[in-house]
Amino acid sequence: MRIVCPFCGERELGEFTYLGDAKPVRPAANASEDEVFDYVYLRDNVAGETSEHWYHAGGCRAWLKITRNTLTHEISSVEPAAGVGAAKVGA
Amino acid sequence: MAEFSWLSRSPLEHALVVGAHGARDIEPGISLTEIRNFDLIQVMARRGKAAELANATKARFGMAAPDLPKAVSASDATLIWSGPDQFLVLSKGGKQTMDILSQAFSQSASLSDQSHARALISVSGTKARAMLAKLSSIDLHPMAFPIDAAAATSIDHTSVNLWRGNDRGDGQAVFNLLVFATFAESLWHTMLDAAAEYGVDIRLSEELG
Ligand SMILES: [Zn+2]
């Protein structure tokens, strides 16, 4: 498997580290225990397209958000994760 | 108490032996040179400060820092891309030290002095590309990796900043490698192993290529 880093270009899998599901969104501070439990522990086991966080540890050290098909390993999109390139957005 | 020295020493001090290594009956196909005593500063733009850093960089070096994987040469420094919104400043002779650059970039970037945290190794020779092909997955063919091309990548599971400098006088390509000090000896031995069959000429230098 290879990943096309938006900053470095196409690189071998060994340069990247998998973080996990990019879907869960941190619940509000006053969220119920069930919502927090869901956020921390529960993950969908998707057969098909998933959204994942990867880290280009052996390269530019940027966090990436990747859309990958768990059936075929086809990667249909790679984009910088939230916060990467923050120097270019407003303070 | 044991004597302690604050003098900086090369992480390759024990591993590097100047002279010939590997195959001896042939003209050495690899030249491996460690370059010592350089200044290296990591510059990272702060949140929302990319444009400000670009202006400060132009004012300081007379040119923009690369925003693609490239290394560009200013009059007394090389600016090496190391990731989004960050670059390394490599220089000699105290012209671009932490003290000086922290003034120039105080409003726009966070700086970190890496001068004694990395080893700088220069690889060249007729077999340089063949040797590096054993260790790196980067395509180093001149079409894909011309002079000034750079990459933040891994060699033998070790992070390196790799870039192509100006060709040698004899036209051979020169590949420069910055590696973390504590990984330098391991990478050095790996490169010696990969290079041995081609014959290696090992040198030390105080000059940036
Ligand atoms: Zn990258």
Side-chain angles (χ1 to χ4, degrees):
Chain A
M1 198 165 101
R2 293 180 193 178
I3 295 173
V4 182
C5 173
F7 304 107
C8 300
E10 188 178 38
R11 295 295 174 84
E12 59 177 313
L13 182 63
E15 288 194 0
F16 299 87
T17 307
Y18 174 75
L19 172 77
D21 198 333
K23 281 258 169 59
V25 178
R26 193 185 184 87
N30 61 352
S32 69
E33 201 177 313
D34 279 354
E35 284 175 281
V36 174
F37 182 85
D38 193 329
Y39 168 70
V40 174
Y41 295 110
L42 298 185
R43 295 291 177 268
D44 297 330
N45 186 14
V46 178
E49 280 205 339
T50 58
S51 183
E52 302 171 331
H53 278 133
W54 288 75
Y55 179 52
H56 196 184
C60 66
R61 299 191 183 89
W63 285 95
L64 306 173
K65 195 172 157 188
I66 290 179
T67 307
R68 183 175 67 93
N69 190 313
T70 57
L71 297 174
T72 63
H73 292 309
E74 187 196 351
I75 290 170
S76 51
S77 94
V78 184
E79 56 188 77
V84 176
K88 291 199 178 59
V89 299
Chain B
M1 210 175 98
E3 285 292 310
F4 187 81
S5 165
W6 286 105
L7 288 175
S8 67
R9 292 192 277 176
S10 165
L12 293 177
E13 190 177 77
H14 298 294
L16 188 148
V17 181
V18 171
H21 175 84
R24 305 276 171 127
D25 309 332
I26 50 175
E27 191 70 14
I30 304 282
S31 179
L32 269 186
T33 305
E34 191 210 351
I35 297 159
R36 288 186 181 169
N37 297 327
F38 52 85
D39 293 310
L40 182 71
I41 311 293
Q42 173 84 65
V43 180
M44 301 177 91
R46 297 204 188 120
R47 185 174 294 267
K49 300 285 188 181
E52 221 172 293
L53 175 60
N55 289 336
T57 306
K58 278 213 178 94
R60 177 76 207 158
F61 298 105
M63 58 169 48
D67 59 0
L68 291 166
K70 286 185 71 154
V72 297
S73 298
S75 60
D76 56 7
T78 305
L79 310 182
I80 307 152
W81 182 92
S82 62
D85 301 323
Q86 52 170 283
F87 57 93
L88 294 158
V89 179
L90 175 66
S91 66
K92 283 285 299 184
K95 294 187 191 104
Q96 312 289 354
T97 59
M98 189 69 176
D99 284 349
I100 295 166
L101 292 186
S102 58
Q103 302 278 324
F105 297 134
S106 62
Q107 299 303 310
S108 54
S110 299
L111 272 61
S112 158
D113 194 339
Q114 300 295 315
S115 305
H116 301 153
R118 310 283 180 104
L120 175 55
I121 300 167
S122 164
V123 186
S124 62
T126 53
K127 296 291 183 186
R129 201 144 58 82
M131 184 274 263
L132 287 168
K134 297 187 196 178
L135 306 173
S136 168
S137 59
I138 304 283
D139 184 355
L140 298 176
H141 188 276
M143 301 275 284
F145 207 79
I147 289 172
D148 289 348
T153 185
S154 296
I155 290 184
D156 196 35
H157 309 284
T158 299
S159 286
V160 297
N161 292 95
L162 170 71
W163 76 99
R164 193 172 151 196
N166 288 323
D167 289 348
R168 293 193 327 201
D170 62 2
Q172 290 295 330
V174 177
F175 300 97
N176 296 302
L177 271 165
L178 277 169
V179 57
F180 292 123
T182 47
F183 289 87
E185 195 169 318
S186 163
L187 184 66
W188 180 261
H189 287 300
T190 302
M191 289 204 295
L192 283 185
D193 288 348
E197 64 169 306
Y198 308 121
V200 193
D201 176 22
I202 298 171
R203 298 183 196 198
L204 263 179
S205 172
E206 296 274 332
E207 301 298 319
L208 297 175

